[in-house]
Amino acid sequence: MRNVFFGLGLKYADDAAYPRIALGDDGRLIAVHQDQGANLSYRIGRLDQMAIVWGDGADYGRGQRPAIALHGNRLVEVHRGEDRDGLYSRIGLWTEEDGVAFGEARRYASGTKPSVAMNREWVIEVHESSWNPTLWCNIGRFSLDRDEIEWSGNLHFDDGARPSVAINPAGLIVIAHESADGGELYLRVGQIEALDDDHGRDPQIVWGPPQRYAAGARPSVAINQDGDVIALHESGTSAALMQMFGRIAEGRVEFAGEPVQFDDGLRPAVACRGNKAVQVHESENFYTVWASSSRIVDRARWMQDHLPQIGALTLPQLTTGASHDAGMYQHGALMTLGKTQDLDLYQQLSNGIRYFDLRPKWSDGRLYVAHGPITGPALNQIVDDVARFMAEGHRELVILKFSHYAGFDSPVYERLVELLQSRLGPWLYRGLPRGRRLADVSLRDFVHHSGVVLAVCDEEYPVRIPAAGIWVYRDSESATVAQGDLRVFDRYSNTTSFDKMSADQLQKFAEYDGRCIGDPELPCDQFLLSWTLTPYTGVWLVSQEANRRLGAWMAKTPRENGHDRVINLLYVDYVEYARATDVAMSMNGID
């Protein structure tokens, strides 16, 4: 099903706390925050693929705990007074010609910790009492001259703390908050009742029952026009920031699963429009604020669902996420030393990853995967994960690349082939037309009838021991590259410096002309961008910098280089934190 994953954020402001964010239908966004004193500031930006491109910012007043809402070119900001003397709102206008212009702040209620949301017709504000853990709601409409908000309500609707509110175009409202005694998170779904102007009735919100949905602290919530709900919160026990995704059904939110960590930090805030979402949060260590974006999409079937846009693409034209040492996801004293992922193969496939680097090892009469001297899970467990995913009916193209064999000989290789054929036989690709190469087949033709697994094996085994559904892999620089059914440019940078790695990989892409290094007369089928750093151990620590920056660096990298070639494989550690699938979708031209 559809879901979000924000991954690791990038810093966008210093000397900042209490961030909040609003997102417009056109991809524009505005974030507000306060500094360590009581200066209130905003910063504008826009979504570019999966990157947030930040623009100007400025101070706009004084106060505490600001919140912001955006619809069209109109803004509504709320905050607590600098002297804690009540809650204030101001209207703003954001135009291309004049930028952001805020009006005068006007007091509208007493209280603390305000949150605000708006659609074309309504402004909804919620806040906590200054005196006790009770929650209050105001409904606003713009005056006829559009220069102020006419508030009504200030009604108590629940007990609790730290509320967050969101509204969609149809007037469907979601409020999330902490329990009155802390530690538990609740939400309520509501709908604005139509005004009865003949009888002078104030607008009202018809609330559904309270719904406990998680343990944690400082929730934030967003809703789009489809009724998709995104909920973020602090774990409450650590600096972990958690995300949840669900849909409104019969007056409550049906969540897709348990909370999932996406980053570390404090005070997360979320906004969404259409199929895009953004989040901001404060650092857990410094007065800095960070942001990232996510698609709202079913990553398990992203190829199938977008065949009209990408079905004609062949392997040299298609971009996908790729998993480095894909099988090294297990925990354990020794396994942690070689750990490069934290999702198993089924979870990586569900996250949209479509290329897997697997390094088989024969040990004690069994097949495993390994990373150097560190042994990972049994290979049959990995293959069963792939079979489970394919059996669900996903029309996706999955590439399993086997190389770096350890403890192998021909009989062991034959066991590998038998395992693949017996467990993945219905999906192994065997139907290459005569006279064509794998690189000539379009995605639509690969998955015409069902999902497909393209199993490719390096070294001499697949040449000497040919088998149905098993294809020959070769690196571009191999002396035997002519034997390759799939030829890939794959050169890592061998550094722990992000600056050196990114410069080296992008230079390699700029120079890539689609010819094999081992034999320039032969076409190379795919370019692998090795967006990985290579410490002796502790991959997670160094992977974070590279993963935070993948979306931003790809957004500013031309889709085609000077040789009309594209990046085909976004090869990363800890794939979900890099948002490799979301980035790949953008690079394929999917909105």
Side-chain angles (χ1 to χ4, degrees):
M1 67 175 293
R2 283 150 61 97
N3 211 323
V4 294
F5 199 95
F6 287 102
L8 303 176
L10 278 173
K11 185 174 73 171
Y12 68 92
D14 293 306
D15 189 21
Y18 297 98
R20 291 293 181 265
I21 186 87
L23 178 64
D25 291 328
D26 56 0
R28 292 188 303 168
L29 54 88
I30 182 168
V32 295
H33 60 265
Q34 72 176 76
D35 65 11
Q36 295 181 62
N39 288 315
L40 301 178
S41 302
Y42 72 84
R43 192 167 183 191
I44 59 174
R46 60 180 173 84
L47 285 176
D48 180 9
Q49 297 185 28
M50 296 313 299
I52 298 174
V53 180
W54 293 101
D56 296 333
D59 294 343
Y60 65 89
R62 292 183 64 78
Q64 299 176 347
R65 298 178 181 269
I68 190 75
L70 166 66
H71 183 81
N73 62 359
R74 191 165 291 277
L75 301 159
V76 175
E77 183 267 359
V78 295
H79 62 271
R80 189 181 189 186
E82 178 181 5
D83 298 322
R84 302 184 178 185
D85 59 343
L87 299 176
Y88 293 77
S89 67
R90 51 163 55 90
I91 294 173
L93 199 63
W94 182 4
T95 64
E96 285 191 24
E97 298 80 14
D98 301 321
V100 172
F102 280 113
E104 178 184 354
R106 300 180 179 182
R107 190 179 188 278
Y108 66 92
S110 62
T112 186
K113 304 180 183 73
S115 176
V116 67
M118 67 187 294
N119 63 12
R120 186 172 181 270
E121 188 174 5
W122 304 104
V123 180
I124 309 296
E125 183 273 349
V126 295
H127 60 270
E128 180 184 341
S129 167
S130 298
W131 308 106
N132 51 50
T134 56
L135 302 176
W136 301 74
C137 177
N138 284 284
I139 304 172
R141 300 186 82 179
F142 288 107
S143 61
L144 291 177
D145 55 13
R146 312 291 285 178
D147 66 349
E148 65 177 304
I149 300 172
E150 297 173 347
W151 294 104
S152 63
N154 203 30
L155 298 175
H156 170 250
F157 69 91
D158 211 337
D159 293 340
R162 293 172 171 154
S164 172
V165 64
I167 185 171
N168 75 359
L172 202 56
I173 300 167
V174 179
I175 290 179
H177 62 87
E178 288 184 24
S179 58
D181 55 358
E184 302 291 331
L185 301 180
Y186 287 81
L187 58 78
R188 297 184 81 162
V189 175
Q191 179 76 53
I192 296 183
E193 272 194 343
L195 285 169
D196 186 352
D197 293 330
D198 293 338
H199 296 85
R201 287 177 56 200
D202 286 338
Q204 296 182 5
I205 300 174
V206 179
W207 293 108
Q211 173 187 346
R212 184 205 177 274
Y213 67 96
R218 296 191 173 113
S220 180
V221 68
I223 182 174
N224 68 7
Q225 74 276 11
D226 297 323
D228 296 325
V229 174
I230 303 168
L232 307 185
H233 61 270
E234 297 176 11
S235 73
T237 58
S238 69
L241 296 178
M242 315 301 289
Q243 64 190 11
M244 300 180 70
F245 181 86
R247 298 204 72 180
I248 292 179
E250 299 182 354
R252 57 184 287 115
V253 178
E254 301 291 342
F255 285 104
E258 295 300 312
V260 175
Q261 183 178 1
F262 67 91
D263 206 344
D264 289 334
L266 301 171
R267 302 185 179 92
V270 64
C272 67
R273 283 290 188 275
N275 67 346
K276 300 293 195 320
V278 293
Q279 69 82 27
V280 292
H281 65 267
E282 184 181 331
S283 166
E284 72 275 26
N285 297 315
F286 306 102
Y287 284 100
T288 56
V289 285
W290 301 66
S292 63
S293 64
S294 173
R295 289 178 177 271
I296 302 173
V297 68
D298 187 347
R299 292 169 185 80
R301 46 183 291 154
W302 72 268
M303 289 180 168
Q304 174 179 346
D305 286 347
H306 296 92
L307 280 176
Q309 298 101 304
I310 64 174
L313 299 181
T314 59
L315 291 176
Q317 300 166 329
L318 181 68
T319 301
T320 70
S323 178
H324 170 232
D325 267 304
M328 300 303 293
Y329 52 80
Q330 289 185 331
H331 297 278
L334 289 178
M335 289 181 181
T336 299
L337 298 176
K339 195 169 184 283
T340 55
Q341 307 293 339
D342 61 1
L343 300 180
D344 62 30
L345 264 286
Y346 178 81
Q347 293 169 325
Q348 291 181 49
L349 283 160
S350 299
N351 189 259
I353 302 303
R354 295 294 175 261
Y355 181 98
F356 299 90
D357 164 33
L358 298 168
R359 308 182 182 191
K361 175 180 181 178
W362 179 255
S363 178
D364 297 325
R366 294 188 67 189
L367 284 166
Y368 298 87
V369 294
H371 183 187
I374 308 300
T375 301
L379 186 58
N380 70 300
Q381 176 181 328
I382 288 171
V383 173
D384 285 346
D385 271 351
V386 179
R388 174 188 170 194
F389 179 82
M390 302 306 291
E392 291 175 348
H394 305 291
R395 287 176 59 199
E396 305 287 304
L397 171 62
V398 176
I399 301 178
L400 306 180
K401 175 225 174 182
F402 296 91
S403 65
H404 298 76
Y405 307 104
F408 261 57
D409 56 20
S410 293
V412 172
Y413 176 78
E414 290 173 348
R415 284 176 176 259
L416 169 63
V417 170
E418 181 184 2
L419 174 65
L420 297 176
Q421 291 179 331
S422 63
R423 306 288 178 90
L424 300 178
W427 305 286
L428 289 177
Y429 183 70
R430 309 167 191 252
L432 186 64
R434 185 181 298 275
R436 299 180 71 189
R437 301 188 61 249
L438 296 175
D440 301 326
V441 182
S442 70
L443 176 61
R444 182 177 291 109
D445 287 342
F446 270 122
V447 300
H448 181 67
H449 297 292
S450 69
V452 164
V453 175
L454 194 58
V456 296
C457 294
D458 199 9
E459 300 186 19
E460 292 306 304
Y461 294 117
V463 177
R464 290 191 289 102
I465 311 172
I470 309 298
W471 303 88
V472 180
Y473 172 93
R474 286 293 181 266
D475 283 329
S476 169
E477 60 191 8
S478 169
T480 59
V481 69
Q483 296 174 339
D485 297 306
L486 182 68
R487 306 165 185 151
V488 178
F489 181 100
D490 178 0
R491 282 187 164 183
Y492 74 113
S493 299
N494 195 23
T495 179
T496 56
S497 164
F498 171 77
D499 290 339
K500 291 180 180 178
M501 180 276 288
S502 58
D504 175 63
Q505 288 297 306
L506 294 177
Q507 183 62 36
K508 285 179 166 65
F509 173 58
E511 296 171 354
Y512 175 65
D513 63 0
R515 313 303 298 178
C516 289
I517 297 172
D519 185 346
E521 297 298 316
L522 295 175
C524 185
D525 302 322
Q526 294 195 298
F527 179 90
L528 181 148
L529 186 82
S530 189
W531 205 250
T532 58
L533 301 173
T534 50
Y536 289 112
T537 188
V539 172
W540 165 247
L541 295 176
V542 298
S543 72
Q544 295 177 50
E545 186 174 10
N547 285 347
R548 289 184 195 279
R549 288 164 170 74
L550 178 67
W553 261 244
M554 292 302 98
K556 62 186 180 182
T557 300
R559 169 63 173 157
E560 296 182 347
N561 66 11
H563 303 282
D564 300 323
R565 303 295 168 176
V566 305
I567 294 170
N568 302 113
L569 301 169
L570 300 173
Y571 190 61
V572 293
D573 296 307
Y574 294 92
V575 292
E576 73 274 31
Y577 294 101
R579 301 169 301 149
T581 298
D582 292 20
V583 175
M585 291 177 68
S586 293
M587 294 172 70
N588 286 314
I590 299 171
D591 184 23

